[in-house]
Amino acid sequence: MADAPQTLIDGSTLAALSLARAGVQHMFGVVGIPVTAVATRAVAAGVRFLAFHNEQSAGYAATAYGYLTGRPGVFLTVSGPGCVHGLAGLSNAAVNAWPAVMISGSCDQADAGKGDFQELDQIEAVKPFVKFSAKATHIAQIPRLVYQVLSQAVAGRPGGCYLDLPSDVLHQTISDSEADKILSEVENPRIEEIRDKEVVDIEKAVALLRSAERPLIVFGKGAAFARAEEPLKKLIETTGIPFLPTPMGKGLVPDTHELAATAARSLAIGQCDVALIVGARLNWLLHFGEPPRWSKDVKFILVDISTEEIELRKPHLGLVGDAKRVLELINKEIKDQPFCLGRSHPWVEAISKKVKDNVAKMEVQLSKVVVPFNFFTPMRIIRDAILSVGSPAPILVSEGANTMDVGRAVLVQNEPRTRLDAGTWGTMGVGLGYCIAAAVASPERLVVAVEGDSGFGFSAMEVETLVRYQLPVVVIVFNNGGVYGGDRRSPNEITGPHKDDPAPTSFVPGSAYHTLIEAFGGKGYLVGTPEELKSALSESFSARKPAVINVIIDPYAGAESGRMQHKN
């Protein structure tokens, strides 16, 4: 009897099977020639594909997904311009140290250099933004390279990786038995966890903290990515050391904790003598660790997964390793000889007093009901509505200038990884992609975006994506008529042949952003009073359906915003 004929599978199918076998559960992207079949066959293999309108938003979604899950976020693009648009996602992964993988189609290898459809040297294009890139030149290489980019994305300091799949490779075929053999040979389930590195000098770190008069613990999104919240909270509560989270570190230890120094930030960083920095870089967000914001005599203990980061910052003591593991070792060392500052310690008392004073000042401002809305009145109402949800707390997505700055001070995070914002680069346009990522990564949580109208505009069309997948996302747009708020020009600036044009900062006044989602079947709200906002929040939070709340803000309420200003 003759052997049964072998079934042939093509490169698109093999790529899809490789992703599914590697444990990829979600993929984001924009389909088209030559990758549409990769997406459809990935869905058939059990991968949920979230189709976007723009590769930038898909890339942003993948990076946030990597942060929230600890697994590489994967996004798919077409060749040429699709790859170029996807560079936004890869650069976001690089600068925030989040694991992501971009997979792009590319032109037929035989036609490279001839001006083929959407031809681009994509390996060269991605080079500044990736840890690792690879191009499959034959179908048999696809499984190994899929596993390699996924593994590299989470190795050491997380970041972006790139896989190039030429059109001819996607159309090549092999037998299903050969495909299964190749897949079995390369299977490697190791994409779930960050690996531990050898950690030294734990005793020195504990000795520095023990002898410090004004110690401070600072932690960032690297600690959040490492799932370090339990040993971090234990360290803080065992030692009584005040703590300061970076914006996306908020919630690892509740903002409401008695040792939180966020409302006394300037005092805390300006007077501490030993600072344990966990999963946060001494970049612009932390004033580079330099005077005058920090004391010239402060001793930094820097915990980072990257040896290069330690060498760059040259701290008093560097501990290279996974944040969770390092904190566990510090706690173990302290256990043998415990110490605690206590509430009556002068440093703790000074921080506590400053926190109470600044919180009281903020609450006075928040208690004022200002209509037409300034930024504080609606932000207080939103804060209270989010807190009323309880646990699991909603994931907050925040982008904008004044909107993000005020929100960082007012909105409260009490649970880990419940805040996504513009990140290390201060990138505008991440909002809707982050919302979609949060909704699929944490389906048990409501997602609430608080966006400036300018930030919203970068990716506003993705509200259709929210409706299409019926994701539990409520987008709140602070509509003040432009970037920073309408026309801010002085009279002597309104001159020249185009003086009658709208100001560079201006949008159409009173834009009806809420009607955009209604065009696709979602729910829109237009609000301008506290009662209207409270009603819209209550209804949309209860429904857990896609919604846009258009909050009309006084166009003169905001100010130009760039680097974060901390005056507390």
Side-chain angles (χ1 to χ4, degrees):
M1 180 183 293
D3 292 337
Q6 288 278 349
T7 302
L8 297 178
I9 66 171
D10 63 10
S12 296
T13 303
L14 187 57
L17 292 173
S18 300
L19 290 164
R21 293 269 285 262
V24 173
Q25 298 172 16
H26 296 90
M27 184 159 53
F28 311 90
V30 178
V31 298
I33 297 171
V35 297
T36 303
V38 175
T40 56
R41 289 164 195 173
V43 172
V47 178
R48 189 180 190 194
F49 189 87
L50 286 299
F52 280 68
H53 290 271
N54 183 291
E55 291 93 351
Q56 290 185 17
S57 291
Y60 291 144
T63 62
Y65 180 91
Y67 168 67
L68 291 170
T69 65
R71 301 187 301 270
V74 179
F75 64 109
L76 182 69
T77 84
V78 300
S79 49
C83 173
V84 170
H85 292 165
L87 295 181
L90 286 179
S91 61
N92 199 55
V95 76
N96 288 296
W98 293 345
V101 170
M102 181 168 84
I103 301 175
S104 298
S106 60
C107 73
D108 192 304
Q109 294 176 93
D111 294 327
K114 300 178 182 179
D116 196 19
F117 175 66
Q118 295 188 337
E119 182 181 343
L120 174 69
D121 184 346
Q122 292 166 197
I123 293 291
E124 191 66 27
V126 304
K127 190 175 290 184
F129 309 111
V130 296
K131 300 173 61 182
F132 173 80
S133 62
K135 181 173 186 172
T137 58
H138 187 273
I139 184 174
Q141 298 172 354
I142 291 175
R144 175 179 58 82
L145 293 180
V146 166
Y147 276 85
Q148 197 166 1
V149 291
L150 291 170
S151 179
Q152 288 289 331
V154 294
R157 164 163 285 173
C161 291
Y162 173 68
L163 176 58
D164 192 287
L165 298 177
S167 176
D168 55 304
V169 173
L170 292 173
H171 288 96
Q172 289 173 1
T173 59
I174 57 174
S175 68
D176 57 357
S177 60
E178 186 179 357
D180 194 60
K181 179 175 180 291
I182 295 171
L183 284 165
S184 298
E185 288 172 351
V186 302
E187 272 189 341
N188 178 353
R190 207 188 66 187
I191 70 167
E192 296 291 327
E193 299 292 338
I194 298 292
R195 269 119 340 257
D196 289 343
K197 286 192 173 185
E198 183 181 0
V199 179
V200 296
D201 288 335
I202 296 295
E203 291 180 3
K204 290 182 182 177
V206 172
L208 282 167
L209 292 172
R210 190 190 307 276
S211 62
E213 294 181 7
R214 298 177 302 280
L216 180 68
I217 297 173
V218 180
F219 50 87
K221 60 180 179 287
F225 181 82
R227 290 356 188 220
E229 53 267 22
E230 290 305 321
L232 181 62
K233 186 177 180 182
K234 180 178 179 181
L235 175 63
I236 289 165
E237 294 185 343
T238 298
T239 62
I241 297 174
F243 68 88
L244 178 70
T246 66
M248 284 182 58
K250 281 164 64 71
L252 278 183
V253 181
D255 284 350
T256 52
H257 195 284
E258 63 181 0
L259 289 168
T262 303
R265 187 180 191 273
S266 295
L267 172 67
I269 68 173
Q271 295 189 18
C272 68
D273 59 354
V274 173
L276 173 65
I277 314 290
V278 184
R281 286 168 283 179
L282 290 173
N283 55 21
W284 71 275
L285 286 161
L286 290 173
H287 314 290
F288 310 107
E290 296 173 352
R293 300 303 293 268
W294 294 85
S295 165
K296 63 181 177 60
D297 298 319
V298 64
K299 294 178 179 177
F300 287 110
I301 306 168
L302 190 56
V303 178
D304 201 281
I305 194 71
S306 167
T307 302
E308 291 75 18
E309 182 68 22
I310 301 288
E311 292 173 347
L312 172 67
R313 305 299 175 183
K314 296 179 174 58
H316 182 81
L317 179 63
L319 301 176
V320 178
D322 173 67
K324 181 179 180 180
R325 178 62 179 153
V326 172
L327 289 171
E328 288 172 343
L329 291 171
I330 289 174
N331 284 330
K332 183 178 179 182
E333 178 68 20
I334 289 173
K335 185 179 179 181
D336 294 334
Q337 288 183 286
F339 67 95
C340 184
L341 300 188
R343 293 183 183 179
S344 61
H345 189 282
W347 174 237
V348 176
E349 282 191 335
I351 294 284
S352 179
K353 182 179 184 302
K354 189 65 172 177
V355 166
K356 288 175 182 175
D357 290 347
N358 285 336
V359 168
K361 291 176 185 176
M362 175 66 78
E363 288 301 322
V364 168
Q365 191 156 353
L366 291 173
S367 67
K368 298 173 184 175
V369 178
V370 179
V371 180
F373 279 148
N374 60 9
F375 282 86
F376 289 95
T377 295
M379 202 68 78
R380 173 185 56 80
I381 295 169
I382 293 165
R383 177 196 68 183
D384 294 345
I386 291 174
L387 289 173
S388 72
V389 173
S391 186
I395 292 178
L396 170 71
V397 176
S398 180
E399 73 171 330
N402 295 282
T403 306
M404 188 170 68
D405 288 347
V406 174
R408 185 176 56 252
V410 175
L411 301 176
V412 176
Q413 264 68 56
N414 286 326
E415 295 182 17
R417 293 167 295 281
T418 55
R419 178 184 170 87
L420 295 167
D421 63 23
T424 303
W425 255 2
T427 306
M428 294 297 104
V430 297
L432 272 292
Y434 282 9
C435 286
I436 293 164
V440 299
S442 303
E444 75 284 2
R445 296 184 189 269
L446 177 69
V447 180
V448 179
V450 183
E451 306 248 315
D453 50 359
S454 175
F456 175 67
F458 279 83
S459 56
M461 194 61 188
E462 301 300 347
V463 298
E464 186 276 337
T465 311
L466 299 180
V467 175
R468 188 172 2 119
Y469 292 102
Q470 283 297 294
L471 300 175
V473 177
V474 177
V475 180
I476 304 166
V477 181
F478 275 45
N479 181 357
N480 64 348
V483 182
Y484 312 124
D487 192 344
R488 299 300 185 85
R489 295 174 295 179
S490 62
N492 64 347
E493 291 177 307
I494 305 175
T495 187
H498 305 294
K499 63 184 176 61
D500 294 329
D501 274 0
T505 56
S506 292
F507 297 154
V508 173
S511 295
Y513 296 118
H514 57 293
T515 64
L516 181 60
I517 198 167
E518 290 175 342
F520 307 114
K523 181 68 175 176
Y525 302 86
L526 175 65
V527 305
T529 68
E531 293 73 24
E532 291 170 345
L533 178 55
K534 289 175 184 177
S535 175
L537 291 169
S538 176
E539 184 177 309
S540 60
F541 282 18
S542 296
R544 294 177 66 91
K545 298 287 186 182
V548 170
I549 302 175
N550 186 9
V551 183
I552 303 300
I553 304 290
D554 181 349
Y556 298 101
E560 185 166 0
S561 171
R563 287 176 179 253
M564 297 192 309
Q565 301 299 312
H566 296 278
K567 298 178 182 178
N568 52 359

